[in-house]
């Protein structure tokens, strides 16, 4: 039997969360053109407009993700990453559902995200679209390129 996940706010001071964030940044740099890497580093995720959650199974970190609040009632999904030891076990789905519920609870009207294109991004795109995210225009100061894409979910 698989243990349930625990999702909690994370201040990014622990080594497991920092290591997973470093893995996320390394992956974004490996699969994205340099000008298209918009993943936030530790300092970028420490802003007052960002809440970070980590997902845990027993004592092992299984995933990480964040919600950035923009003016006008828009939220942005940031830094979603599942630990390699926990892929295809429902980590990202549980975290995404948690963040969507939190965005609704905060009264946000829309949740958006920027991501890349290509095989490395396909599993995440399938998950986002299954949760109702739809392709749309650039937002929040991003510039559209041939590589990136933008998805939105009206809440």
């Amino acid at each position: 039997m698989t243990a349930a996940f625990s999702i909690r706010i994370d201040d990014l001071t622990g080594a497991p969360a920092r290591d997973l964030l470093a893995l996320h940044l390394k992956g974004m740099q490996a699969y994205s053109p340099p000008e298209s890497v918009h993943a936030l580093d530790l300092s970028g995720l420490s802003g007052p407009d960002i809440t970070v959650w980590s997902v845990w199974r027993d004592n092992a970190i299984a995933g990480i993700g964040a919600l950035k609040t923009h003016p006008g009632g828009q939220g942005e999904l940031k830094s979603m990453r599942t630990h390699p030891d926990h892929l295809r076990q429902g980590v990202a789905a549980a975290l995404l559902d948690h963040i969507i519920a939190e965005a609704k609870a905060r009264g946000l009207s829309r949740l958006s995200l920027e991501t890349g294109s290509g095989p490395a991004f396909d599993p995440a795109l399938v998950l986002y679209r299954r949760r109702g995210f739809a392709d749309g225009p650039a937002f929040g100061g991003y510039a559209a390129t041939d590589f990136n894409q933008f998805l939105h979910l009206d809440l």
Side-chain angles (χ1 to χ4, degrees):
M1 183 170 185
T2 302
F5 300 120
S6 170
I7 300 174
R8 57 186 181 237
I9 292 177
D10 199 303
D11 63 7
L12 300 174
T13 58
R18 286 175 176 251
D19 292 347
L20 187 52
L21 178 59
L23 180 71
H24 175 65
L25 291 171
K26 185 177 179 182
M28 293 301 95
Q29 292 163 350
Y31 295 108
S32 306
E35 68 277 4
S36 295
V37 177
H38 301 292
L40 297 176
D41 62 9
L42 186 62
S43 65
L45 288 171
S46 299
D49 56 345
I50 297 179
T51 304
V52 179
W53 289 272
S54 54
V55 181
W56 296 80
R57 176 176 280 148
D58 297 324
N59 293 323
I61 193 164
I64 196 165
L67 172 63
K68 179 177 182 178
T69 304
H70 290 271
Q74 183 169 359
E76 179 181 0
L77 190 64
K78 297 294 294 181
S79 301
M80 287 282 292
R81 176 62 62 153
T82 299
H83 190 284
D85 292 345
H86 299 274
L87 291 172
R88 288 175 260 313
Q89 297 175 26
V91 173
L95 183 55
L96 182 57
D97 290 345
H98 182 86
I99 293 173
I100 290 170
E102 181 63 26
K104 288 179 179 178
R106 292 182 185 189
L108 300 179
S109 59
R110 175 180 262 197
L111 187 57
S112 301
L113 63 97
E114 180 276 339
T115 193
S117 298
F121 298 91
D122 289 345
L125 289 164
V126 167
L127 173 64
Y128 298 140
R129 290 185 174 119
R130 282 187 182 153
R131 292 302 190 272
F133 283 82
D135 295 339
F139 68 97
Y142 290 109
T145 69
D146 290 339
F147 177 77
N148 64 358
Q149 49 191 311
F150 306 93
L151 285 81
H152 308 277
L153 175 67
D154 289 330
L155 303 173

